[in-house]
Amino acid sequence: MTHLDFSVNVDHVATLRNARGGSFPCPVEAARVAVAAGADGVTLHLREDRRHIRDRDVERVRAEIAAPLNFEMAATGEMVAFAERIRPPYCCLVPEKRAELTTEGGLDVLRAGPFLREAVQRLRAADVRVSIFIEADPAQIEAAARIGAQAIELHTGTYAEGPLANRDAQLARLKAGATAARAAGLLCHAGHGLSYDTVGAIAAMPEVTEVSIGHFLVSQAVFEGLDATVRRFRAIMDAARAA
Ligand code: PXP
């Protein structure tokens, strides 16, 4: 069984910091704790409005944290230029709307204009491994492969945050997406809305090579501590993977 990489998203440590306009709690310090507790990587989403992560946070994580940075970004000229300067090992292209609370759905690769392909090419030319956040739809997955992405990240929000009664059907849809991704020669990542209750079924899919978890993890850390929360996620994923 391939190793399942666990990338910890610390965006909401920055949300808390920004609530008071100071420097505490520090997302870079959170990244350090998460990696020491067993995270394989760190995810940061630099949004156009800088509502949580700021440019300096990305620069510092890149410079100070040895584990790979997965840089989440919209496919805009500003963000591609930023990534070309920072050169994160991994990038995940996401749709971004100003008014949304969080990323609401996958990128529509089929209907995207030529800039998406150009963004993928520019990032790859800067030695960045490019992933695209999409729905588990085989047509979208094949389109991601056609424009040169090396990975896709399956949107798990509908499964993880939807009604309990729909979970099996949503898991079957994600499994089909994961299979389609591997058949298209892509790495398959997964994320959005995952919690202790929902991560196991995703970790049990051998096609999935990386999960990215943020909001629940940072929230749970308020009660359990960040170190313990990362360790508990790791244990749940390892047990599900081995079963
Ligand atoms: N993957 C992507 C592409 C995301 O946009 C997010 C949210 O920033 C996540 C994973 C993590 O989702 P959550 O914060 O709900 O765990």
Side-chain angles (χ1 to χ4, degrees):
M1 184 83 77
T2 51
H3 179 74
L4 179 63
D5 283 334
F6 176 21
S7 190
V8 170
N9 178 322
V10 295
D11 290 352
H12 294 301
V13 177
T15 303
L16 205 53
R17 172 195 63 192
N18 298 353
R20 287 294 170 94
S23 60
F24 184 83
C26 171
V28 184
E29 190 50 32
R32 216 183 305 280
V33 171
V35 170
D40 299 290
V42 175
T43 296
L44 305 175
H45 183 180
L46 185 67
R47 295 185 72 104
E48 184 197 15
D49 62 9
R50 309 299 197 268
R51 69 175 70 157
H52 38 57
I53 292 298
R54 297 178 180 148
D55 301 39
R56 185 71 193 129
D57 299 323
V58 185
E59 290 164 358
R60 285 193 55 202
V61 165
R62 189 76 181 101
E64 296 174 33
I65 305 293
L69 167 63
N70 174 37
F71 181 57
E72 254 182 59
M73 55 176 258
T76 62
E78 181 203 11
M79 286 302 153
V80 173
F82 185 89
E84 285 174 328
R85 178 168 69 79
I86 296 285
R87 297 171 82 95
Y90 313 143
C91 243
C92 180
L93 298 174
V94 300
E96 201 175 290
K97 292 188 217 126
R98 230 161 222 277
E100 69 190 358
L101 287 177
T102 180
T103 317
E104 282 169 356
L107 251 179
D108 188 348
V109 186
L110 287 167
R111 277 166 209 82
F115 190 74
L116 187 60
R117 181 191 290 266
E118 193 188 315
V120 172
Q121 284 166 358
R122 279 175 60 184
L123 292 166
R124 287 194 58 170
D127 265 345
V128 179
R129 186 190 72 189
V130 183
S131 157
I132 304 185
F133 185 55
I134 49 180
E135 296 296 333
D137 168 355
Q140 294 285 352
I141 293 164
E142 284 153 24
R146 275 200 303 277
I147 65 166
Q150 293 132 303
I152 51 127
E153 181 173 325
L154 291 176
H155 186 332
T156 54
T158 317
Y159 149 69
E161 297 170 334
L164 263 181
N166 288 350
R167 278 209 183 147
D168 286 350
Q170 291 299 335
L171 274 176
R173 197 174 65 88
L174 290 166
K175 175 76 182 172
T179 307
R182 300 305 283 196
L186 299 168
L187 291 169
C188 182
H189 305 166
H192 211 282
L194 294 173
S195 66
Y196 289 152
D197 287 343
T198 51
V199 77
I202 300 297
M205 294 182 192
E207 299 85 357
V208 176
T209 54
E210 181 173 310
V211 291
S212 162
I213 306 179
H215 184 261
F216 176 91
L217 187 150
V218 171
S219 309
Q220 193 61 23
V222 171
F223 303 103
E224 269 184 278
L226 184 55
D227 177 275
T229 307
V230 170
R231 286 178 197 277
R232 191 158 150 200
F233 260 115
R234 181 84 259 178
I236 293 169
M237 290 191 280
D238 288 348
R241 196 89 169 161

